[in-house]
Amino acid sequence: MAYKIIASQCTQCGACEFECPSSAIEYKGEKYVIDPDKCTECKGAFELQQCASVCPVPKTCVPA
Amino acid sequence: MSAPITWLESLTNTTSSGQLLTAAKSGDCASSSCGSSSRPTDMDSATWEKVKDHPCFSEEAHHYFARMHVAVAPACNIQCNYCNRKYDCANESRPGVVSEKLTPDQALRKVIAVANEVPQLSVLGIAGPGDACYDWKKTRATFERVASEIPDIKLCISTNGLALPEHVDELAEMNISHVTITINMVDPAVGEKIYPWIFYGHRRYTGIAAAKILHEQQMLGLEMLSERGILTKINSVMIPGVNDQHLIEVNKWVKERGAFLHNVMPLISEPAHGTWFGLAGQRGPNALELKAFQDRLEGGAKLMRHCRQCRADAVGLLGADRGQEFTLDQIPLELDYDGGKRHAYREVVARIRDDHSAAKKEAIATVASVNIPGSLQVAVATKGGGRINEHFGHAKEFQVYEASQTGIKFVGHRKVEPYCHGGWGEDATLGDIIAALEGIDFVLCARIGDCPKKQLLEAGIQATDAFGYDYIEAAISALYATKHGSDRSQLTA
Ligand code: SF4
Ligand code: SF4
Ligand code: SF4
């Protein structure tokens, strides 16, 4: 029940970070990571996962 | 006619603010209207006040003033087919060139470093990669910090327009006087071919629905800015076969909604940049196609022709990027703003600008009085200040002017690879330069060697350094006047 970011493809734009309704995404060390404990897959908040919807790179925010 | 010899370029490189001030005070005022630089005839004085030191919004100002961009807002809410976000925002910067992404604090440090060193600096812009209105928190934090340290710097942003309406009031409050919106279509059926998706209201839209929302937001944003007296520039990317003819319609729409300037830029689409258009083999227009199209638009919304499609981290005068001198690792951690150089420079400019404008007027009168059919295309090598002051071999671009009976008009620029590398001219580059100068009759520069001169001549282009350090328009009018005269010897001397 969580999403993850494929760091090697990420452009580090940070859009997913501020769109995430659960504050699950953080810039840690050198990359953006999703905290699986906080990620709700946007259930109850939005129809679709916000990180995946805003991310410019296909298949970068994906189910863990 | 020429200014009391105060060479701008000699003032701006190494000089201290003390020396600049001495220069500003020395010498008599050559012109009658000292200090009140005269404005172009097609502008009211309130507008002129807003643009007179903005290099992007005024062709006249771009000879004197510099802008810098800070890349603080990398998040974006749309996808454009000419952008590969693994690199850069194609709206405002050459794609494929990675810029240094900055935090608002790092940006403040960089702006102070540049303001201390580059006296021409007048404008700070946020222009990609990403969208300044969408990544709003970082945009806002950066502007607030900079404005409190350097209150007289002009602030501007570039945006795709999708999130613009929700921030117009804040833009006005924050005194952001100039906004650029990239508008490539007013017909969603055209937009569909340019934008694969948008992210709006917490969901992703594709196809015609996406283009329709984007279009509506862009028009609304533009109208809201015009209502509040914020000057807008519209950037349009000219994509042959996709929106090139359609841009005539775009020009009409934006003019009706109060756009101040329309900037039609060529699509950049090398496959190596990895953009959708690049990979699909979509080509961009060449310099002549672009100019021909811009000429067709003449009479609609005022056109901007001096755009350099600069990098999202560009620093300095348009066409003379100094970004590499100001990367973060070269900037001290603690830095105080010292406005000395900038203030002194402004005093100098206020004076010589009047002189330049008088010279320009005289030149245009000369041209109008000579009855020559057709026009003359002149490429000029310049480092700024309105003069022919760059060596042929060092030029990274040539500014193109058209002289005809109706006057002397700046019509664009041609980028080139400098011909001289460490003192040696390279033949391969010369070939490229000749190709880039297609359609040009004359090249004016501060210095040129016999060898490149001869090769240019063989290609039908006359090059001369006879007018070195003169005002651009003055030289062109002299050239124009002698064009059909029998005595050409002075040109090739
Ligand atoms: S799926 Fe939703 S909750 Fe999970 S990280 Fe992405 S945006 Fe946040
Ligand atoms: S939206 Fe995608 S590209 Fe941007 S930071 Fe998040 S994962 Fe990386
Ligand atoms: S608006 Fe800029 S960053 Fe966003 S996709 Fe278009 S070109 Fe790229």
Side-chain angles (χ1 to χ4, degrees), chain A residues 9 11 19 46 50 53 55, chain B residues 86 101 134 199 202 204:
Chain A
Q9 306 195 76
T11 71
E19 292 295 351
F46 298 107
Q50 296 294 288
S53 307
C55 182
Chain B
K86 286 221 153 189
K101 286 173 195 162
Y134 176 58
F199 183 79
H202 297 290
R204 188 183 275 215

Side-chain angles (χ1 to χ4, degrees), chain B residues 68-73 100 102 107-108 110-111 124-128 142-143 312-314:
Chain B
M68 72 178 288
H69 291 159
V70 286
V72 293
E100 200 174 45
L102 306 172
L108 174 64
K110 181 165 171 169
V111 176
L124 169 67
I126 298 181
T142 303
F143 281 157
D313 54 1

Side-chain angles (χ1 to χ4, degrees), chain B residues 10 18 34 43 68 72 129 153 248 260 325 352 390 408 424-425:
Chain B
S10 65
C34 185
M43 216 177 276
M68 72 178 288
V72 293
I153 201 164
I248 295 170
F260 175 68
E325 295 167 45
I352 63 181
E390 177 70 292
I408 300 173
W424 297 97

Side-chain angles (χ1 to χ4, degrees), chain A residues 56, chain B residues 73-85 88-93 127-132 158-161 182 184 194-197 237:
Chain B
C76 191
N77 48 357
I78 72 177
Q79 181 63 53
C80 305
N81 278 334
Y82 47 73
C83 176
N84 175 355
R85 286 211 254 138
D88 240 349
C89 178
N91 275 342
E92 283 299 312
S93 54
D131 187 81
S158 287
T159 174
N160 60 43
T182 300
N184 298 318
I194 304 171
Y195 305 103
W197 57 264
V237 182

